[in-house]
Coordinates of all heavy atoms in Angstrom, one line a residue:
Chain A
K72 N 172.4 166.6 -87.8 CA 171.7 166.0 -86.6 C 171.3 167.0 -85.6 O 170.2 167.0 -85.1 CB 172.6 164.9 -86.0 CG 172.0 164.1 -84.9 CD 170.9 163.2 -85.4 CE 170.1 162.5 -84.3 NZ 168.7 162.2 -84.6
E76 N 167.5 168.3 -84.3 CA 166.9 168.4 -83.0 C 166.3 169.7 -82.7 O 165.2 169.8 -82.1 CB 168.0 168.1 -81.9 CG 168.4 166.6 -81.9 CD 169.5 166.3 -81.0 OE1 170.2 167.2 -80.4 OE2 169.8 165.1 -80.8
E79 N 163.0 169.8 -84.6 CA 162.0 169.0 -83.9 C 161.4 169.8 -82.7 O 160.2 169.8 -82.4 CB 162.5 167.7 -83.5 CG 162.6 166.7 -84.7 CD 163.2 165.4 -84.3 OE1 163.9 165.3 -83.2 OE2 163.0 164.4 -85.0
M80 N 162.3 170.5 -82.0 CA 161.9 171.3 -80.9 C 160.9 172.3 -81.3 O 159.8 172.5 -80.7 CB 163.1 172.0 -80.2 CG 164.0 171.0 -79.4 SD 164.9 171.9 -78.1 CE 166.2 172.6 -79.1
G84 N 157.4 170.6 -81.1 CA 157.2 171.1 -79.8 C 156.4 172.4 -79.8 O 155.1 172.4 -79.7
K85 N 157.1 173.5 -79.9 CA 156.4 174.8 -79.8 C 155.3 175.0 -80.8 O 154.2 175.4 -80.4 CB 157.5 175.9 -79.9 CG 157.0 177.3 -79.7 CD 158.1 178.3 -79.6 CE 157.5 179.6 -79.3 NZ 158.6 180.6 -79.1
K88 N 152.3 172.0 -80.6 CA 151.5 172.0 -79.4 C 150.8 173.3 -79.2 O 149.8 173.4 -78.6 CB 152.4 171.6 -78.2 CG 153.0 170.2 -78.3 CD 152.0 169.1 -78.9 CE 152.7 167.8 -79.2 NZ 151.9 167.0 -80.2
E92 N 147.0 173.3 -78.7 CA 146.4 174.0 -77.5 C 145.3 175.0 -77.9 O 144.2 175.1 -77.3 CB 147.5 174.7 -76.7 CG 147.0 175.4 -75.4 CD 148.0 176.2 -74.7 OE1 149.0 176.7 -75.3 OE2 147.9 176.4 -73.5
Q95 N 142.3 173.0 -78.8 CA 141.7 172.4 -77.7 C 140.9 173.4 -76.9 O 139.8 173.2 -76.3 CB 142.7 171.7 -76.8 CG 143.3 170.4 -77.4 CD 142.3 169.2 -77.3 OE1 141.2 169.3 -76.9 NE2 142.7 168.1 -77.9
K96 N 141.4 174.7 -76.8 CA 140.7 175.7 -76.1 C 139.4 176.0 -76.8 O 138.5 176.5 -76.1 CB 141.6 177.0 -76.1 CG 142.7 177.0 -75.1 CD 143.3 178.4 -75.1 CE 144.6 178.5 -74.4 NZ 145.3 179.8 -74.7
N100 N 138.9 168.6 -80.7 CA 139.8 167.5 -80.2 C 141.0 167.2 -81.1 O 141.0 166.2 -81.9 CB 139.0 166.3 -79.8 CG 139.7 165.5 -78.7 OD1 140.8 165.9 -78.3 ND2 139.0 164.5 -78.2
A101 N 141.9 168.1 -81.1 CA 143.1 168.0 -82.0 C 144.1 167.1 -81.5 O 144.3 166.9 -80.3 CB 143.7 169.4 -82.2
G103 N 148.2 166.3 -82.4 CA 149.4 166.8 -83.1 C 150.4 165.7 -83.3 O 150.8 165.0 -82.4
L104 N 150.8 165.5 -84.6 CA 151.7 164.4 -84.9 C 152.8 164.9 -85.9 O 152.5 165.7 -86.7 CB 151.0 163.2 -85.5 CG 150.0 162.5 -84.6 CD1 149.1 161.6 -85.5 CD2 150.7 161.7 -83.5
L107 N 157.0 161.3 -88.4 CA 157.7 160.2 -87.8 C 156.7 159.3 -87.1 O 156.8 158.0 -87.1 CB 158.7 160.6 -86.7 CG 160.1 161.0 -87.0 CD1 160.7 161.5 -85.8 CD2 160.9 159.8 -87.6
D108 N 155.7 159.9 -86.5 CA 154.7 159.2 -85.7 C 153.8 158.3 -86.6 O 153.1 158.8 -87.5 CB 153.8 160.2 -84.9 CG 154.7 161.0 -84.0 OD1 155.3 160.4 -83.1 OD2 154.8 162.2 -84.2
G109 N 153.8 157.0 -86.4 CA 153.1 156.1 -87.3 C 153.6 156.2 -88.7 O 152.9 155.7 -89.6
R110 N 154.8 156.8 -88.9 CA 155.3 156.9 -90.3 C 154.3 157.5 -91.2 O 154.2 157.1 -92.4 CB 155.8 155.6 -90.8 CG 157.0 155.0 -90.0 CD 157.7 154.0 -90.8 NE 158.8 153.4 -90.0 CZ 159.9 152.9 -90.5 NH1 160.1 152.9 -91.8 NH2 160.8 152.4 -89.7
H145 N 146.5 155.2 -92.9 CA 145.7 154.4 -91.9 C 145.5 155.1 -90.6 O 144.4 155.3 -90.1 CB 146.5 153.0 -91.6 CG 145.8 152.2 -90.6 ND1 146.3 152.2 -89.2 CD2 144.7 151.4 -90.6 CE1 145.5 151.5 -88.5 NE2 144.5 151.0 -89.3
Y155 N 138.9 163.0 -84.2 CA 140.1 163.7 -83.8 C 140.6 164.5 -85.1 O 140.7 163.9 -86.2 CB 141.2 162.8 -83.4 CG 140.9 162.0 -82.1 CD1 140.5 160.7 -82.2 CD2 140.9 162.7 -80.9 CE1 140.2 160.0 -81.0 CE2 140.6 161.9 -79.7 CZ 140.2 160.6 -79.8 OH 139.9 159.9 -78.7
K167 N 164.0 153.8 -93.3 CA 164.7 153.1 -92.2 C 164.3 153.7 -90.8 O 164.9 153.4 -89.8 CB 166.2 153.2 -92.3 CG 166.7 152.3 -93.5 CD 168.2 152.4 -93.6 CE 168.6 151.4 -94.8 NZ 170.0 151.6 -95.1
G168 N 163.4 154.7 -90.8 CA 162.9 155.2 -89.6 C 163.7 156.5 -89.1 O 163.4 156.9 -88.0
A170 N 164.6 160.4 -88.9 CA 163.9 161.7 -89.1 C 164.6 162.4 -90.2 O 165.8 162.7 -90.2 CB 164.0 162.5 -87.8
Chain B
K86 N 154.2 181.2 -69.1 CA 153.9 180.9 -70.5 C 155.2 180.6 -71.3 O 155.3 179.6 -72.1 CB 153.1 182.0 -71.1 CG 152.6 181.8 -72.5 CD 151.6 180.7 -72.6 CE 151.2 180.4 -74.0 NZ 150.7 179.0 -74.2
E90 N 156.6 177.0 -73.2 CA 157.0 176.9 -74.6 C 158.3 176.1 -74.7 O 158.5 175.3 -75.5 CB 157.0 178.2 -75.3 CG 155.6 178.8 -75.6 CD 155.7 180.2 -76.2 OE1 156.7 180.8 -76.3 OE2 154.6 180.6 -76.6
E93 N 157.6 172.5 -73.8 CA 157.0 171.8 -74.9 C 158.1 171.5 -76.0 O 158.1 170.4 -76.6 CB 155.9 172.6 -75.5 CG 154.7 172.6 -74.7 CD 153.5 173.4 -75.2 OE1 153.7 174.3 -76.0 OE2 152.4 173.2 -74.8
M94 N 159.0 172.5 -76.2 CA 160.1 172.2 -77.2 C 160.9 171.0 -76.8 O 161.2 170.1 -77.7 CB 161.0 173.4 -77.3 CG 160.4 174.6 -78.0 SD 161.6 175.8 -78.7 CE 162.1 176.6 -77.2
G98 N 159.1 168.0 -78.4 CA 159.9 168.0 -79.6 C 161.1 167.1 -79.5 O 161.0 165.9 -79.9
K99 N 162.2 167.6 -78.9 CA 163.4 166.8 -78.9 C 163.3 165.4 -78.2 O 163.7 164.4 -78.8 CB 164.5 167.6 -78.1 CG 165.8 167.0 -78.1 CD 166.9 168.0 -77.6 CE 168.2 167.3 -77.7 NZ 169.3 168.2 -77.4
K102 N 160.3 163.0 -79.9 CA 160.6 162.6 -81.3 C 161.9 161.8 -81.3 O 162.0 160.9 -82.2 CB 160.6 163.7 -82.3 CG 159.2 164.5 -82.4 CD 158.0 163.6 -82.4 CE 156.7 164.3 -82.2 NZ 155.6 163.4 -81.8
E106 N 161.8 158.2 -82.9 CA 162.7 157.9 -84.0 C 163.5 156.6 -83.7 O 163.7 155.7 -84.5 CB 163.7 159.0 -84.2 CG 164.6 158.8 -85.4 CD 165.7 159.8 -85.6 OE1 166.0 160.6 -84.6 OE2 166.2 160.0 -86.7
Q109 N 161.1 153.7 -84.2 CA 160.8 153.5 -85.6 C 162.0 152.8 -86.3 O 161.8 152.0 -87.2 CB 160.5 154.8 -86.3 CG 159.1 155.4 -86.0 CD 158.0 154.6 -86.6 OE1 158.1 153.7 -87.3 NE2 156.7 155.0 -86.2
K110 N 163.2 153.2 -85.9 CA 164.4 152.6 -86.5 C 164.5 151.1 -86.2 O 165.1 150.3 -86.9 CB 165.7 153.2 -85.9 CG 166.0 154.6 -86.5 CD 167.4 154.9 -86.0 CE 167.8 156.4 -86.2 NZ 169.0 156.8 -85.5
N114 N 156.2 150.6 -84.5 CA 155.4 151.7 -85.0 C 154.9 152.6 -83.9 O 153.7 152.6 -83.5 CB 154.3 151.2 -85.9 CG 153.9 152.3 -87.0 OD1 154.4 153.4 -87.0 ND2 153.0 151.9 -87.9
A115 N 155.8 153.5 -83.4 CA 155.5 154.3 -82.3 C 154.8 155.6 -82.7 O 155.0 156.1 -83.8 CB 156.8 154.7 -81.6
G117 N 154.1 159.4 -81.0 CA 154.4 160.2 -79.8 C 153.3 161.3 -79.6 O 153.0 162.0 -80.6
L118 N 152.8 161.4 -78.4 CA 151.8 162.4 -78.1 C 152.0 163.0 -76.8 O 152.5 162.4 -75.9 CB 150.4 161.6 -78.1 CG 149.9 161.0 -79.4 CD1 148.7 160.1 -79.1 CD2 149.5 162.1 -80.4
L121 N 148.1 167.0 -74.2 CA 147.2 167.9 -74.8 C 146.5 167.2 -76.0 O 145.3 167.5 -76.3 CB 148.0 169.1 -75.4 CG 148.4 170.3 -74.6 CD1 149.2 171.2 -75.5 CD2 147.1 171.1 -74.2
D122 N 147.2 166.3 -76.7 CA 146.7 165.7 -77.9 C 145.5 164.7 -77.5 O 145.8 163.8 -76.7 CB 147.8 165.0 -78.6 CG 148.9 165.9 -79.0 OD1 148.7 166.8 -79.8 OD2 150.0 165.8 -78.4
G123 N 144.4 165.0 -78.0 CA 143.2 164.2 -77.7 C 142.9 164.3 -76.2 O 142.2 163.4 -75.7
R124 N 143.4 165.3 -75.5 CA 143.3 165.5 -74.1 C 143.5 164.2 -73.3 O 142.8 163.8 -72.4 CB 141.9 166.0 -73.8 CG 141.6 167.3 -74.3 CD 140.4 168.0 -73.7 NE 140.2 169.3 -74.3 CZ 139.6 170.3 -73.6 NH1 139.2 170.2 -72.4 NH2 139.4 171.5 -74.2
H159 N 140.3 156.5 -74.6 CA 139.8 156.2 -75.9 C 140.9 156.2 -77.0 O 141.1 155.3 -77.7 CB 138.7 157.1 -76.3 CG 138.2 156.9 -77.7 ND1 138.6 157.7 -78.8 CD2 137.3 155.9 -78.2 CE1 138.0 157.2 -79.8 NE2 137.2 156.2 -79.5
Y169 N 149.8 150.5 -82.8 CA 150.7 151.6 -82.6 C 151.1 151.7 -81.1 O 150.3 151.5 -80.2 CB 150.1 152.9 -82.9 CG 149.6 153.0 -84.4 CD1 148.3 152.8 -84.8 CD2 150.6 153.3 -85.4 CE1 147.9 152.9 -86.1 CE2 150.2 153.3 -86.7 CZ 148.9 153.2 -87.1 OH 148.5 153.2 -88.4
K181 N 139.9 173.4 -69.6 CA 139.6 174.4 -70.6 C 140.6 174.3 -71.8 O 140.6 175.2 -72.7 CB 139.7 175.8 -70.0 CG 138.6 176.1 -69.0 CD 138.7 177.5 -68.4 CE 137.5 177.8 -67.5 NZ 137.7 179.0 -66.8
G182 N 141.4 173.3 -71.8 CA 142.3 173.1 -73.0 C 143.6 173.8 -72.9 O 144.4 173.8 -73.9
A184 N 147.5 174.3 -71.8 CA 148.7 173.4 -71.5 C 149.1 173.6 -70.1 O 149.4 174.7 -69.6 CB 149.8 173.7 -72.4

Side-chain angles (χ1 to χ4, degrees):
Chain A
K72 186 68 186 153
E76 288 177 350
E79 287 177 338
M80 286 202 284
K85 183 169 184 175
K88 298 318 167 199
E92 184 187 24
Q95 288 287 359
K96 282 187 195 169
N100 209 352
L104 295 168
L107 274 174
D108 301 295
R110 296 200 182 207
H145 177 263
Y155 298 103
K167 291 183 176 168
Chain B
K86 186 66 188 154
E90 288 177 350
E93 288 177 338
M94 286 202 285
K99 184 169 184 175
K102 299 318 165 197
E106 184 186 24
Q109 287 288 357
K110 283 189 196 168
N114 208 353
L118 294 168
L121 274 175
D122 301 295
R124 296 198 181 208
H159 176 261
Y169 299 102
K181 291 183 175 169

